[in-house]
Amino acid sequence: VGKAEVYYDDTRKRTKAKVDVYVIGTPEDILKTDVLSLTIEIEGPGRRPVKAESIIFSLYSYSHGKSYKYRSDPKLTIFLDDVLLLSDDFQPFFMAIDPRGGVTEHYLSARIPSDKLLQILKAKKIVMKFGSTTFEIQGENLEALRDLNKSIGY
């Protein structure tokens, strides 16, 4: 978490880099509070430096309760310096309700042009909204995104 991971697939001759950040809560808090994590993946042909073709956002939620928190509104909206960058409906990847309490949801974006990541990294203020949950990317989380960009050789 917070540090980019880079993989090279010899069969496909492609490099993939990803980073995970917690935007609400932490894994240590999961028994007491809701947790939301964001994963960003970059993929492109060849080895580093990689000319990234696209990025994929993934959101993982664990919430307390007995119903899905994001099922009816799985939209991620990103504002850079108070200006809309993108708004995209995510597709459910995995969803489960534990009868003892606790709800797990995992959503994926469509492929997004890689230049959007560079726009995000240049912004002074990054605010994201997923469903009814709003969070700002700053501090260690912003450094993790910058590390992701560096990890592919940019």
Side-chain angles (χ1 to χ4, degrees), residues 121-132:
L121 294 175
K122 290 178 184 176
K124 290 180 177 55
K125 182 178 178 186
I126 305 161
V127 175
M128 297 185 182
K129 181 178 180 196
F130 186 60
S132 62

Side-chain angles (χ1 to χ4, degrees), residues 33-76:
T33 187
D34 294 352
V35 173
L36 182 64
S37 67
L38 170 69
T39 300
I40 300 178
E41 294 182 5
I42 302 174
E43 187 175 319
R47 293 188 181 270
R48 290 188 268 182
V50 173
K51 172 70 173 114
E53 294 173 332
S54 62
I55 58 176
I56 294 177
F57 287 86
S58 171
L59 283 152
Y60 170 85
S61 167
Y62 179 84
S63 57
H64 297 269
K66 296 183 179 177
S67 63
Y68 294 110
K69 190 170 186 174
Y70 300 105
R71 183 183 210 168
S72 64
D73 187 15
K75 180 182 295 243
L76 178 70

Side-chain angles (χ1 to χ4, degrees), residues 11-128:
T11 307
R12 295 176 55 226
K13 306 286 189 235
R14 296 182 67 78
T15 297
K16 181 186 281 189
K18 73 173 196 159
V19 70
D20 301 301
V21 297
Y22 283 86
V23 295
I24 304 288
T26 65
E28 296 79 25
D29 298 333
I30 203 163
L31 294 177
K32 300 177 279 189
T33 187
D34 294 352
V35 173
L36 182 64
S37 67
L38 170 69
T39 300
I40 300 178
E41 294 182 5
I42 302 174
E43 187 175 319
R47 293 188 181 270
R48 290 188 268 182
V50 173
K51 172 70 173 114
E53 294 173 332
S54 62
I55 58 176
I56 294 177
F57 287 86
S58 171
L59 283 152
Y60 170 85
S61 167
Y62 179 84
S63 57
H64 297 269
K66 296 183 179 177
S67 63
Y68 294 110
K69 190 170 186 174
Y70 300 105
R71 183 183 210 168
S72 64
D73 187 15
K75 180 182 295 243
L76 178 70
T77 304
I78 302 175
F79 297 93
L80 304 180
D81 303 321
D82 298 319
V83 175
L84 177 67
L85 172 70
L86 67 86
S87 189
D88 188 28
D89 286 322
F90 278 36
Q91 297 302 309
F93 181 72
F94 176 82
M95 299 172 75
I97 297 176
D98 187 330
R100 298 167 293 176
V103 180
T104 301
E105 298 173 77
H106 188 181
Y107 296 90
L108 299 173
S109 73
R111 292 192 177 274
I112 298 168
S114 60
D115 66 319
K116 298 292 185 204
L117 180 60
L118 296 176
Q119 289 177 269
I120 290 169
L121 294 175
K122 290 178 184 176
K124 290 180 177 55
K125 182 178 178 186
I126 305 161
V127 175
M128 297 185 182

Side-chain angles (χ1 to χ4, degrees), residues 1-5 19-22 140-141 143-145 147-148:
V1 175
K3 191 83 175 139
E5 300 172 25
V19 70
D20 301 301
V21 297
Y22 283 86
E140 292 176 350
N141 288 345
E143 288 307 312
L145 296 187
D147 185 55
L148 174 65

